[in-house]
Amino acid sequence: MANPQTTGLQVRSLDLSAARAALWLAGTAFLALLALYFVGIDQGAVSLFGSDSHVHEFVHDARHLLGFPCH
């Protein structure tokens, strides 16, 4: 049997306050909505990049995988 040895490492506790959790939730929701916009909505008249279709072509297969029509 192995004998566990104490190495003197200290483990920090996690900050699980409501404010910190709300900040993480808001950041995650923002990134998710941004990804949803680029995959599902960015094309044509509502595109952030005008008539440039590089973003559309980059996420084209993901659009079809997730069920978004694009042509």
Side-chain angles (χ1 to χ4, degrees):
M1 247 198 238
N3 191 7
Q5 297 177 357
T6 306
T7 59
L9 295 176
Q10 294 184 5
V11 179
R12 293 181 3 162
S13 62
L14 293 174
D15 180 15
L16 298 177
S17 66
R20 184 99 170 142
L23 182 64
W24 274 101
L25 180 62
T28 302
F30 174 75
L31 290 176
L33 289 173
L34 188 65
L36 181 66
Y37 171 78
F38 281 117
V39 171
I41 301 170
D42 186 54
Q43 70 177 7
V46 296
S47 176
L48 290 177
F49 303 103
S51 62
D52 188 20
S53 64
H54 283 93
V55 173
H56 173 82
E57 293 302 324
F58 183 72
V59 296
H60 187 256
D61 292 337
R63 293 174 66 89
H64 289 296
L65 179 70
L66 295 172
F68 290 101
C70 67
H71 19 166

